[in-house]
Amino acid sequence: MKSEDIPSIRKIIRRNKRLELFFAVAGFLALLVGVLTFVALFAQMAWSGWERITPDFFTNFPSRRAGQAGILSAWVGSLLVMLVTALSAVPLGVAAGIYLEEYAPKNLFTDIIEINVTNLAGVPSIVYGLLALGVFVYTFGFGQSILSAGLTLGLLILPVVIVATREAIRSIPLHIREAAYGLGATRWQVTRDHIVPYSLPGILTGVIIGMSRAIGETAPIITIGALTFIAFLPESPIGPEFPWVNFEWLKSGFTVMPIQMFNWTSRPEEAFQQNAAAAGFILVLMTLAMNAVSIWIRYHVRKDIKW
Amino acid sequence: MRETNSGAAALMSQPPLTVSDRLARKALRNFKERVIELLLLGAASVSVLTTVGIIWVLVSESFNFFSNVSIWSFLTDTMWTPLFAEPRYGILPLLAGTLTTSMVALVVAIPLGTTIAIYLSEFARPAVREVVKPFLELLGGIPTIVYGYFALMVVIPLLQLLIPDLSGFNMLGAGIVMGIAIIPYVSSLAEDAMRAVPMSMREGSYAMGATKLQTAFRVIFPAALSGILSAYILGISRAVGETMIVAVAAGMQPNFTVNPLEPAQTISAYIVQVALGDLPHGSIGYQSIFAAGLSLMLMTLALNLVGHVVRRRFREAY
Amino acid sequence: MRPDKGVAVKASVENFSFYYGDFKALKSISMPVHEKRVTALIGPSGCGKSTLLRTFNRMHDLYPGNRYEGTIRLHPDNTNLLDPAVDPIEVRMRIGMVFQKPNPFPKSIYENVAYGLRIRGERNRSVIDDRVKEALRGAALWSEVEHRLHDPATALSGGQQQRLCIARCLATEPEVLLFDEPTSALDPIATASIEELVHELRDKVTILIVTHNMQQAARVSDYTAYMYLGELMEFGETNQIFVNPKRKETEDYITGRFG
Amino acid sequence: MRPDKGVAVKASVENFSFYYGDFKALKSISMPVHEKRVTALIGPSGCGKSTLLRTFNRMHDLYPGNRYEGTIRLHPDNTNLLDPAVDPIEVRMRIGMVFQKPNPFPKSIYENVAYGLRIRGERNRSVIDDRVKEALRGAALWSEVEHRLHDPATALSGGQQQRLCIARCLATEPEVLLFDEPTSALDPIATASIEELVHELRDKVTILIVTHNMQQAARVSDYTAYMYLGELMEFGETNQIFVNPKRKETEDYITGRFG
Amino acid sequence: QSTVKIDGSSTVFPVTEAVAEDFQKSKKGEVKVTVGISGTGGGFKKFCRGEIDVADASRPILKKEMDACAQAGIKYIELPVAFDALTVVANPKNAFIKQLSVEQLKKMWEPDAQGKVTTWKQVDASFPDAPLKLFGAGSDSGTFDYFTEAVVGKAKASRGDYTASEDDNVLVQGVSRDVNAVGYFGYAYYAENKGKLKAVPIVNKEGKPVEPGPAAVLDGSYNPLSRPIFIYVAEKSLEKAEVRDFVTFYLKNASKLATEVKYVPLPAKSYEVALEHVNKKKLGTVFGGEPEIGVTIEALLAREAKL
Ligand SMILES: Nc1ncnc2c1ncn2[C@@H]1O[C@H](COP(=O)(O)OP(=O)(O)OP(=O)(O)O)[C@@H](O)[C@H]1O
Ligand SMILES: Nc1ncnc2c1ncn2[C@@H]1O[C@H](COP(=O)(O)OP(=O)(O)OP(=O)(O)O)[C@@H](O)[C@H]1O
Ligand SMILES: [Mg+2]
Ligand SMILES: [Mg+2]
Ligand SMILES: O=P([O-])([O-])[O-]
């Protein structure tokens, strides 16, 4: 184009910009659909459950009287199940991600693992429930326990953790690796000193996304059989004497937030619907809190890592 | 240079490690490395074991099922009434329900998810992105049972205003809400893929006088295609396997139709129905959930294999 | 180098300062850019060469927190490139840029070159065909790619990719071409071919080139600007700057006593 | 350049060929590497300079499909570096490498330099402190960073980062130091300081340096190897290669008639 | 610390939950009680494996389940604890449904009706030509079994083209939104949603239309849609003091608590008989493993007396 053509350039630009504006509005609206749905659901739960959110709600066990029913066993159960989920999925997922990205030779077996991981990410959660029922509950004899539920959800989020780990590792430039190997580091030293620390923010993000999903899962927990009425807490994981940990709680029966909610929504009394809304609100708050933690960690760890 | 040589001189004065020293360390080192590698390999194998476990559980239970029901009638019969007095075991109605609800969900989630991804990655200010993205991811953290009631109490009544004789339970309403529920999976992954396109691509395009829209669609989108396809595949898998929303809002009625205005049942909804229900374990009705689960698993497996091939084909090369 | 007799000024930088947030990267720079001549920007790393160059097509608008002060006028229409009322897209349509690292789009060779035309709304297939061919000729790439126009651009070698990026710009007939160290990622053979290309192009288009290779500046440019710590130390005909610099600092830099 | 009188051979490349999968990147190369001298590898892009250099610390072992043929002996112990029975880690512990792009770890300056010691099992804090200091001195970086040893290394400028990478190698007292175009990403000032450093280091350590800047090769090296298309065209004292090359191709390349 | 484990029917759950809650309070937390919902069948499955102490059941134990228990050497005491009245509901705005006979219900629900009987007119010529919209229990619930047995004459014999749900609130929503809808579920859901629904009087054996309600259930006039619900206690578990205490507590308080959760309690006499059975360890079932409908309280008591 020559400078004489400026008017025609301007015409083109105006046309291009009209389209752009159109899309920007569309994009904004699309975003609004997502965000407003969330806000609407959240606000609705807050609105109808608000009255029920008192300190008692957190410290009461379930009850036939909606006004006295609380979520103590549910939130403690959710927390403990998530603990098992994290403790199983994170080391396994990170180790698997490291293996695939740093160690695995390119062969049929690793190809299979790879396709398998993407495939697992798409397997419906209910199918994990069927697996867990057959394997954890009966074959391994863990019963309908916190351990079974935690491991089930652990398997469920394993692909998410693996994929996040791999992505994070892949974003570490090759030259950082070469620098470390060049100094004579072994593969494990490179992994331990560089790969893991530098990919930590990405891994954390994946873990949190996975956990956010796991904490709201209903279907697989139903299949393995969570309890619906449970008016006591599992043994404390912190033991009174050395080594200060206690594993009794793993075998305990449990209920979790979504199950409690599910039970309340299917109650005939209207008042239980309020409880369900309140429980839903708190469940989303728990998810929010996890995300906030991850954002915080991500920000503070990532700040120091650049190439 | 400001330093003297003294540093370097001192540095080189120590004798190098002797060869035998090195050999001793090497054996130990190799052993340790080997053990660690095996541990990591073990961890990676867990995912394979999971698949094997799933297939084993599904196949062994389905095996009993298929010794009572012919595979042919399973695949061709158009009625699914395994729990009725006169049971019929045709998976087609469930399959039709699964595919129709998924299709509706995808019609919602793919355009919206992609638009959001492009908007966040190319249009929104970074501050907006940083706030909105975690927010969207939270949509994935809301228990799906909440979405189910949302579909039933809010979306379907709204749809009934538009389509007067729409039934109170239908695949359209369930599918739309399911679509909204999977938006975050699609948009978040697609956005990641687009972010990963190097800035130099964008600079190249802008320097030519392109608008954001042109840059996004003509350069960034094709460059990120393989990642975006992965996002779609995951979204589709989610839709196919989604349970609670359809269980609540689609009507639980095995109905051999692809008309989204009608009620229907999906494979996953059937499974959870039975899991919640009253069936004696070991009965053929109970085994039917494994046959249904196996069909579901095979569907997602096929989907992911196709995805794998397609992704290979569109692997990014910047 | 060519004589400066009666050369028109294509752009004039006037009292231009630039800020990355609070950091003042360019300090009150004034200089002309002569029409259909090659102007080189030289200076040690971090002196602001790229910053100045990227101002010419408002690349800085892509990132938040950047601020312009002063003017850059484009002649003959006397538009102030930095005027907030002037659309950066218009500026970029008139002024093309070639980057340090070749950055072809992940499309076919043909589509890379056609890109500029397409975003300008050109639909006519034969017009595009012709312009693509011309541009590839202009970038001395035609003979190498004529039989594989529909291969992916990423399959080309580094030097070819850089020439493709040049062709991509040429296809839209920009008034000014900006080059930011276009050869620093290339091997000597590819470098030589790009230099030769710049040499040929200066008959058709105004060129501004950043380089930290003094020999390159001497070889390809008609005018040279020596920058240091965000300031323009000296501007003049390349001959004069290299043979007879007015300032001591310029001389030190050019003779390699410093930098 | 220094005279070749009585210089010991630190490593000898014998009949060495290298394959990237099916592609033969190096063809039967034989040459000595003299102890406590600087040997430069020059040649046009893609001729295999980096490939040869990276062989010395078995970097190619990191990627699948690569194959060595022939031997590289390290003296005085006469170990064949390429022997499958020789642990590549051992080789890398003896032979350090500095890369084209400065690649400090995103850790503190101190930790970067200490890293080599740590992976060798050194735990004694005061030993590490001393060696870090020495190494930073050796890399002419001490005075610039002594008060901010615990700042992130990525906050340093490019030239400082490259010297940090050198310090990181020096801390482990390698017998041979490999440099792959260590200054190509740097500005002239930083380049000069690295060159000077190489100059100083050659009294203490054997150095192999890849460059595609002939002036640099001439300035810093004692011996030069000219490579072309995977073959070693000529090897000799730098003086001789530059002043009186035996082969026509070498002369063409050096005088810039080609490449 | 001692635990009482209960699982089984979702229909019985509200009663058992209420008992469990009060029992735990009366024991000041010394005894833990857990209640799960895995359906009557799921409950019996666990019961016959010896995994739980008490099974909640919305129907008597079936032959298959009796065999399973016998094989595992599990003996049990069958205790009726309350009545449930399956309620046929219609939209309150519906003007033409005044009552329905079992024959009419059969016309709507029998398998042959599938795809054919789609308007009200086809059910009865006096009804208008409006579309017929059906809502009912999911095909694997005790409610479904009982309703089909009572209406169609054969358990599980039903048309398939109706909206089914395990969650009765979903059905409440469905019927309350559609003027032409009719559905069935447990009485408690009707009792809690009287504003949104109207109960359809059912023409009983005596030819009288009767609305569901505690009185009508007790005097046997609401037939054939009222049914007893049970708990089954394992003989071995009864050796444990806490289980014995729990069952005794259950029978002593069932009357009050069943009313509270909108079920119909048995006459006081019936609980005394049951308690006696517990004390005397009268094992087995009075139903012989066959589903049965329209059992009145008197008949039940008479049979139990014979045990
Ligand atoms: N995005 C940015 N934000 C803040 N400061 C910047 C940014 N980009 C560059 N700078 C600073 O502005 C100054 C000029 O940078 P510029 O990239 O223009 O230098 P240059 O002359 O092109 O150097 P080089 O030869 O290394 O490319 C430098 O001090 C640099 O650190
Ligand atoms: N990983 C690889 N796989 C296959 N071929 C490779 C690989 N790396 C380099 N090559 C090829 O091997 C040859 C030698 O490459 P090498 O990088 O050693 O060249 P070089 O002399 O260092 O060039 P430059 O000056 O560009 O760094 C080239 O033809 C190159 O294309
Ligand atoms: Mg620059
Ligand atoms: Mg190289
Ligand atoms: O849970 P059920 O009462 O339907 O068996």
Side-chain angles (χ1 to χ4, degrees):
Chain A
M1 314 253 160
K2 298 282 153 227
S3 50
E4 307 84 65
D5 299 341
I6 290 176
S8 75
I9 293 184
R10 294 216 168 119
K11 219 168 93 203
I12 293 166
I13 294 175
R14 266 200 306 280
R15 198 175 58 218
N16 289 350
K17 287 224 152 166
R18 260 203 307 277
L19 272 176
E20 183 176 72
L21 183 71
F22 180 77
F23 180 84
V25 171
F28 187 71
L29 289 180
L31 197 59
L32 231 50
V33 169
V35 172
L36 284 187
T37 308
F38 175 77
V39 171
L41 288 173
F42 195 58
Q44 190 271 331
M45 287 189 291
W47 178 254
S48 50
W50 189 247
E51 286 166 28
R52 295 290 302 119
I53 301 175
T54 58
D56 284 350
F57 192 61
F58 294 90
T59 55
N60 279 357
F61 288 114
S63 163
R64 67 178 177 284
R65 296 184 196 91
Q68 290 169 17
I71 52 168
L72 180 58
S73 39
W75 73 256
V76 173
S78 272
L79 231 55
L80 291 176
V81 169
M82 283 300 114
L83 185 67
V84 177
T85 301
L87 289 181
S88 55
V90 174
L92 272 180
V94 173
I98 288 171
Y99 180 79
L100 290 175
E101 219 36 54
E102 288 293 309
Y103 281 77
K106 267 271 152 252
N107 60 27
L108 186 67
F109 180 64
T110 49
D111 250 14
I112 289 175
I113 297 187
E114 196 150 323
I115 299 176
N116 183 54
V117 168
T118 28
N119 183 49
L120 275 182
V123 171
S125 56
I126 188 100
V127 172
Y128 282 93
L130 295 176
L131 166 77
L133 188 66
V135 175
F136 294 141
V137 177
Y138 291 129
T139 311
F140 292 175
F142 294 160
Q144 290 154 344
S145 58
I146 291 180
L147 183 62
S148 291
L151 292 179
T152 309
L153 296 182
L155 285 187
L156 180 72
I157 69 167
L158 193 59
V160 182
V161 179
I162 294 178
V163 170
T165 304
R166 299 190 63 183
E167 290 298 328
I169 291 179
R170 223 173 284 159
S171 72
I172 299 173
L174 214 56
H175 59 77
I176 292 285
R177 253 170 272 242
E178 290 193 344
Y181 282 116
L183 284 169
T186 63
R187 222 194 300 234
W188 172 239
Q189 285 168 333
V190 173
T191 303
R192 185 196 57 198
D193 300 336
H194 303 284
I195 304 301
V196 172
Y198 308 156
S199 54
L200 211 54
I203 293 175
L204 274 173
T205 312
V207 170
I208 299 279
I209 290 176
M211 302 264 286
S212 312
R213 181 174 165 214
I215 199 173
E217 276 294 345
T218 321
I221 304 250
I222 288 176
T223 352
I224 63 170
L227 294 164
T228 313
F229 175 83
I230 173 164
F232 55 87
L233 294 180
E235 286 79 0
S236 163
I238 298 155
E241 58 211 65
F242 190 79
W244 292 295
V245 278
N246 185 339
F247 293 106
E248 275 304 302
W249 57 278
L250 286 173
K251 289 185 253 158
S252 173
F254 68 100
T255 191
V256 290
M257 296 286 290
I259 298 282
Q260 185 67 70
M261 249 189 97
F262 185 63
N263 177 249
W264 279 338
T265 52
S266 56
R267 283 305 186 91
E269 295 94 327
E270 186 77 36
F272 277 111
Q273 305 302 324
Q274 272 186 32
N275 285 15
F281 177 76
I282 289 159
L283 182 55
V284 175
L285 276 192
M286 286 166 87
T287 320
L288 265 172
M290 285 201 305
N291 277 276
V293 170
S294 92
I295 291 169
W296 187 84
I297 297 176
R298 210 152 76 195
Y299 177 75
H300 281 267
V301 181
R302 195 172 275 173
K303 213 173 50 183
D304 301 333
I305 299 173
K306 52 176 183 244
W307 341 100
Chain B
M1 200 141 310
R2 289 146 297 266
E3 318 284 327
T4 62
N5 290 346
S6 62
L11 192 68
M12 298 299 157
S13 57
Q14 280 146 359
L17 223 54
T18 67
V19 174
S20 61
D21 266 353
R22 287 207 189 89
L23 283 178
R25 288 189 190 188
K26 180 184 155 188
L28 182 65
R29 193 167 63 217
N30 285 347
F31 176 72
K32 196 174 146 197
E33 289 284 316
R34 205 67 211 136
V35 168
I36 288 168
E37 180 165 357
L38 282 177
L39 283 177
L40 294 176
L41 173 65
S45 311
V46 168
S47 76
V48 178
L49 286 182
T50 306
T51 306
V52 171
I54 289 174
I55 291 182
W56 176 69
V57 167
L58 292 181
V59 168
S60 63
E61 294 275 352
S62 303
F63 192 77
N64 298 329
F65 176 81
F66 284 117
S67 56
N68 289 308
V69 178
S70 83
I71 293 193
W72 179 248
S73 73
F74 182 73
L75 292 179
T76 57
D77 195 340
T78 57
M79 291 264 282
W80 178 260
T81 54
L83 308 176
F84 285 16
E86 279 158 31
R88 300 275 293 274
Y89 301 99
I91 193 78
L92 285 177
L94 297 187
L95 214 54
T98 304
L99 292 179
T100 310
T101 47
S102 303
M103 201 48 76
V104 174
L106 294 178
V107 166
V108 172
I110 287 190
L112 281 182
T114 312
T115 309
I116 290 176
I118 292 179
Y119 183 77
L120 284 183
S121 145
E122 307 299 319
F123 284 76
R125 274 177 295 133
V128 174
R129 183 185 329 128
E130 291 307 309
V131 173
V132 168
K133 220 183 152 198
F135 230 89
L136 273 179
E137 272 158 16
L138 280 179
L139 271 175
I142 293 183
T144 45
I145 179 87
V146 173
Y147 283 111
Y149 274 90
F150 177 64
L152 189 62
M153 315 289 263
V154 181
V155 176
I156 291 181
L158 284 179
L159 287 173
Q160 280 174 323
L161 295 180
L162 295 175
I163 310 169
D165 45 36
L166 185 65
S167 84
F169 295 80
N170 57 66
M171 296 192 272
L172 184 63
I176 289 176
V177 173
M178 197 156 102
I180 295 177
I182 58 177
I183 283 177
Y185 295 106
V186 175
S187 66
S188 179
L189 278 183
E191 203 258 357
D192 287 345
M194 290 192 244
R195 289 266 95 212
V197 175
M199 202 58 208
S200 65
M201 286 296 129
R202 288 187 187 83
E203 290 196 344
S205 172
Y206 286 124
M208 305 287 300
T211 60
K212 283 180 184 172
L213 186 68
Q214 289 167 328
T215 306
F217 275 99
R218 290 168 180 269
V219 175
I220 306 299
F221 190 89
L225 195 58
S226 114
I228 292 173
L229 286 177
S230 301
Y232 290 172
I233 299 275
L234 184 68
I236 299 174
S237 311
R238 277 291 129 75
V240 167
E242 173 48 52
T243 310
M244 295 318 245
I245 299 174
V246 278
V248 170
M252 284 284 199
Q253 178 176 334
N255 192 353
F256 186 39
T257 176
V258 291
N259 179 357
L261 302 181
E262 290 193 28
Q265 185 168 42
T266 66
I267 298 179
S268 56
Y270 174 72
I271 298 175
V272 80
Q273 178 195 3
V274 173
L276 272 173
D278 183 36
L279 223 54
H281 289 217
S283 66
I284 179 155
Y286 184 75
Q287 285 155 1
S288 72
I289 66 176
F290 291 92
L294 187 61
S295 322
L296 193 56
M297 178 81 186
L298 289 179
M299 271 171 77
T300 50
L301 191 70
L303 197 63
N304 282 293
L305 286 178
V306 170
H308 191 75
V309 173
V310 173
R311 253 193 325 271
R312 280 249 161 109
R313 167 122 173 46
F314 290 104
R315 180 80 61 220
E316 294 93 344
Y318 311 122
Chain C
M1 275 135 274
R2 292 183 294 184
D4 194 14
K5 304 270 141 41
V7 172
V9 169
K10 180 67 197 168
S12 44
V13 181
E14 290 153 25
N15 242 320
F16 172 61
S17 297
F18 182 82
Y19 298 81
Y20 285 115
D22 291 334
F23 175 64
K24 189 168 187 176
L26 293 178
K27 294 164 194 158
S28 194
I29 292 192
S30 299
M31 64 177 263
V33 178
H34 294 283
E35 186 155 17
K36 306 220 167 137
R37 292 290 178 275
V38 178
T39 304
L41 300 174
I42 63 170
S45 188
C47 68
K49 306 181 292 293
S50 300
T51 305
L52 178 57
L53 192 79
R54 291 161 62 87
T55 305
F56 277 85
N57 68 349
R58 301 264 302 255
M59 271 290 128
H60 298 301
D61 286 42
L62 297 180
Y63 306 93
N66 299 337
R67 215 171 81 239
Y68 308 104
E69 253 171 31
T71 54
I72 298 185
R73 296 205 171 273
L74 200 60
H75 305 293
D77 49 312
N78 219 24
T79 313
N80 174 11
L81 295 184
L82 307 181
D83 190 336
V86 171
D87 191 335
I89 297 188
E90 183 184 320
V91 174
R92 294 183 198 133
M93 284 200 173
R94 298 178 62 182
I95 299 183
M97 175 145 179
V98 175
F99 297 82
Q100 180 163 12
K101 228 185 116 236
N103 57 354
F105 303 130
K107 299 170 178 278
S108 70
I109 294 172
Y110 180 90
E111 281 304 324
N112 261 280
V113 183
Y115 184 74
L117 303 171
R118 292 205 194 279
I119 61 175
R120 281 162 178 75
E122 184 61 66
R123 293 257 163 69
N124 187 327
R125 176 84 205 194
S126 75
V127 171
I128 297 182
D129 278 354
D130 289 350
R131 297 275 287 274
V132 166
K133 188 168 167 180
E134 250 172 67
L136 284 170
R137 283 234 170 87
L141 195 60
W142 177 250
S143 62
E144 286 161 66
V145 300
E146 106 188 83
H147 298 299
R148 47 177 185 141
L149 286 176
H150 298 285
D151 285 6
T154 41
L156 296 175
S157 79
Q160 289 174 325
Q161 286 187 7
Q162 196 61 301
R163 275 179 283 151
L164 181 68
C165 292
I166 295 174
R168 190 168 67 183
C169 283
L170 290 181
T172 63
E173 300 177 4
E175 299 166 42
V176 181
L177 252 182
L178 311 172
F179 287 87
D180 192 355
E181 307 197 19
T183 62
S184 76
L186 303 182
D187 61 84
I189 305 176
T191 300
S193 75
I194 301 283
E195 283 184 15
E196 197 172 331
L197 188 57
V198 170
H199 221 80
E200 283 170 28
L201 286 174
R202 68 171 165 184
D203 288 337
K204 292 157 219 143
V205 58
T206 307
I207 291 176
L208 210 60
I209 184 169
V210 166
T211 173
H212 63 214
N213 179 331
M214 259 131 346
Q215 282 71 40
Q216 186 168 72
R219 281 195 297 266
V220 303
S221 72
D222 304 300
Y223 296 89
T224 295
Y226 171 60
M227 297 174 64
Y228 182 62
L229 288 181
E231 287 181 76
L232 177 65
M233 301 302 284
E234 189 164 352
F235 173 83
E237 285 186 36
T238 301
N239 250 334
Q240 171 250 313
I241 294 273
F242 276 79
V243 177
N244 187 20
K246 293 204 184 89
R247 295 181 70 143
K248 174 90 173 54
E249 295 94 326
T250 315
E251 190 179 340
D252 281 355
Y253 180 72
I254 284 170
T255 54
R257 233 167 293 159
F258 145 75
Chain D
M1 276 136 268
R2 292 182 296 183
D4 193 16
K5 302 272 139 38
V7 172
V9 169
K10 179 66 196 170
S12 43
V13 181
E14 291 155 24
N15 241 320
F16 172 62
S17 298
F18 182 82
Y19 298 81
Y20 285 116
D22 291 334
F23 174 65
K24 190 167 187 176
L26 293 177
K27 295 164 192 158
S28 194
I29 292 192
S30 299
M31 65 178 263
V33 178
H34 294 283
E35 188 156 16
K36 306 219 166 137
R37 291 292 179 274
V38 177
T39 304
L41 300 175
I42 62 169
S45 186
C47 68
K49 306 179 294 292
S50 300
T51 305
L52 177 57
L53 192 81
R54 291 160 63 86
T55 304
F56 275 85
N57 69 348
R58 301 263 301 255
M59 270 290 135
H60 299 301
D61 287 42
L62 296 180
Y63 307 95
N66 299 337
R67 218 171 77 241
Y68 308 104
E69 253 172 32
T71 54
I72 299 185
R73 296 205 172 274
L74 198 60
H75 306 290
D77 49 314
N78 219 23
T79 313
N80 174 10
L81 294 185
L82 306 181
D83 190 335
V86 170
D87 189 344
I89 301 205
E90 184 184 322
V91 175
R92 295 184 199 130
M93 285 199 172
R94 299 177 62 180
I95 299 184
M97 174 140 178
V98 175
F99 298 81
Q100 180 163 13
K101 225 185 121 238
N103 54 358
F105 303 127
K107 298 174 182 274
S108 71
I109 294 172
Y110 180 92
E111 279 306 325
N112 262 280
V113 184
Y115 187 69
L117 303 170
R118 293 207 194 276
I119 60 176
R120 280 161 179 76
E122 183 60 68
R123 293 258 162 68
N124 188 326
R125 175 85 204 193
S126 74
V127 170
I128 297 182
D129 277 354
D130 289 351
R131 296 275 286 274
V132 166
K133 189 169 167 179
E134 269 168 47
L136 284 169
R137 282 235 171 87
L141 194 60
W142 177 249
S143 63
E144 286 160 67
V145 302
E146 87 185 285
H147 297 299
R148 47 175 184 144
L149 285 176
H150 298 285
D151 284 4
T154 40
L156 296 175
S157 77
Q160 289 174 324
Q161 287 188 6
Q162 196 62 300
R163 275 178 283 152
L164 181 68
C165 293
I166 296 174
R168 190 168 64 182
C169 282
L170 291 180
T172 64
E173 300 174 6
E175 298 166 43
V176 181
L177 252 182
L178 311 172
F179 287 86
D180 192 355
E181 307 196 20
T183 63
S184 76
L186 302 182
D187 61 85
I189 306 176
T191 299
S193 76
I194 301 285
E195 283 183 15
E196 196 172 336
L197 187 57
V198 170
H199 221 80
E200 280 173 31
L201 286 173
R202 70 171 166 185
D203 287 337
K204 294 126 220 159
V205 58
T206 307
I207 290 176
L208 210 57
I209 184 169
V210 166
T211 172
H212 62 214
N213 177 332
M214 260 132 344
Q215 283 70 40
Q216 185 169 72
R219 281 196 298 267
V220 304
S221 73
D222 304 302
Y223 297 88
T224 295
Y226 170 60
M227 297 174 64
Y228 181 62
L229 286 181
E231 286 182 77
L232 178 64
M233 302 300 285
E234 189 162 353
F235 174 82
E237 287 187 36
T238 300
N239 250 334
Q240 173 249 310
I241 293 274
F242 275 79
V243 176
N244 187 19
K246 294 206 183 85
R247 295 180 71 142
K248 173 88 175 55
E249 295 94 326
T250 315
E251 193 179 336
D252 282 355
Y253 181 70
I254 284 170
T255 53
R257 234 165 297 161
F258 146 75
Chain E
Q1 207 181 359
S2 41
T3 312
V4 182
K5 290 186 183 162
I6 309 166
D7 207 329
S9 165
S10 57
T11 310
V12 187
F13 175 80
V15 184
T16 304
E17 184 202 38
V19 176
E21 183 183 357
D22 284 6
F23 177 69
Q24 280 204 134
K25 275 195 196 126
S26 79
K27 288 277 174 183
K28 308 223 161 42
E30 272 165 39
V31 178
K32 295 174 169 179
V33 184
T34 65
V35 191
I37 299 178
S38 40
T40 306
F44 277 129
K45 171 98 176 172
K46 291 181 188 170
F47 186 71
C48 297
R49 282 169 181 253
E51 290 171 11
I52 54 177
D53 303 308
V54 176
D56 286 343
S58 63
R59 53 158 172 81
I61 188 167
L62 297 179
K63 193 87 189 73
K64 251 191 187 167
E65 292 154 348
M66 290 165 68
D67 294 345
C69 275
Q71 217 160 43
I74 306 265
K75 298 191 182 112
Y76 46 84
I77 301 174
E78 178 183 74
L79 302 166
V81 291
F83 261 97
D84 182 22
L86 291 194
T87 306
V88 177
V89 293
N91 190 289
K93 290 207 204 89
N94 186 316
F96 57 85
I97 309 177
K98 303 278 190 287
Q99 63 183 58
L100 285 170
S101 67
V102 173
E103 291 72 48
Q104 285 170 324
L105 286 173
K106 182 173 177 182
K107 250 187 203 158
M108 295 180 207
W109 287 97
E110 68 189 344
D112 287 344
Q114 172 140 1
K116 292 194 196 102
V117 181
T118 54
T119 66
W120 280 97
K121 206 174 174 67
Q122 288 169 288
V123 177
D124 191 307
S126 69
F127 290 149
D129 193 11
L132 174 68
K133 296 285 179 60
L134 296 170
F135 294 82
S139 53
D140 56 353
S141 69
T143 310
F144 173 77
D145 292 356
Y146 191 86
F147 184 82
T148 46
E149 172 93 45
V151 164
V152 182
K154 186 172 179 207
K156 291 180 188 293
S158 167
R159 68 193 291 170
D161 53 348
Y162 69 96
T163 299
S165 177
E166 295 306 314
D167 178 349
D168 294 332
N169 279 319
V170 169
L171 300 178
V172 170
Q173 286 305 324
V175 176
S176 67
R177 261 197 232 155
D178 193 330
V179 199
N180 295 314
V182 66
Y184 66 88
F185 39 69
Y187 179 72
Y189 287 85
Y190 163 67
E192 289 293 341
N193 292 286
K194 280 187 174 154
K196 293 186 212 159
L197 303 168
K198 83 172 179 194
V200 179
I202 301 297
V203 180
N204 66 12
K205 270 183 258 167
E206 292 77 37
K208 263 204 314 206
V210 178
E211 257 199 67
V217 171
L218 272 182
D219 68 18
S221 63
Y222 188 71
N223 67 49
L225 292 182
S226 57
R227 58 167 173 168
I229 56 177
F230 307 86
I231 59 173
Y232 285 74
V233 186
E235 186 205 16
K236 240 195 227 106
S237 298
L238 269 184
E239 286 162 15
K240 295 190 279 183
E242 64 270 17
V243 176
R244 212 169 39 246
D245 288 354
F246 175 77
V247 172
T248 311
F249 189 90
Y250 203 129
L251 293 172
K252 287 198 168 140
N253 294 276
S255 178
K256 182 184 84 193
L257 295 174
T259 314
E260 207 177 306
V261 295
K262 306 285 189 314
Y263 282 73
V264 179
L266 308 177
K269 174 86 195 329
S270 168
Y271 293 114
E272 283 160 25
V273 173
L275 205 53
E276 217 178 281
H277 285 186
V278 173
N279 292 333
K280 294 193 180 148
K281 293 217 172 147
K282 291 210 171 165
L283 302 175
T285 168
V286 297
F287 290 90
E290 294 300 327
E292 212 171 322
I293 55 155
V295 185
T296 59
I297 288 170
E298 282 108 67
L300 194 59
L301 283 178
R303 284 198 210 171
E304 282 179 359
K306 277 189 244 141
L307 248 185

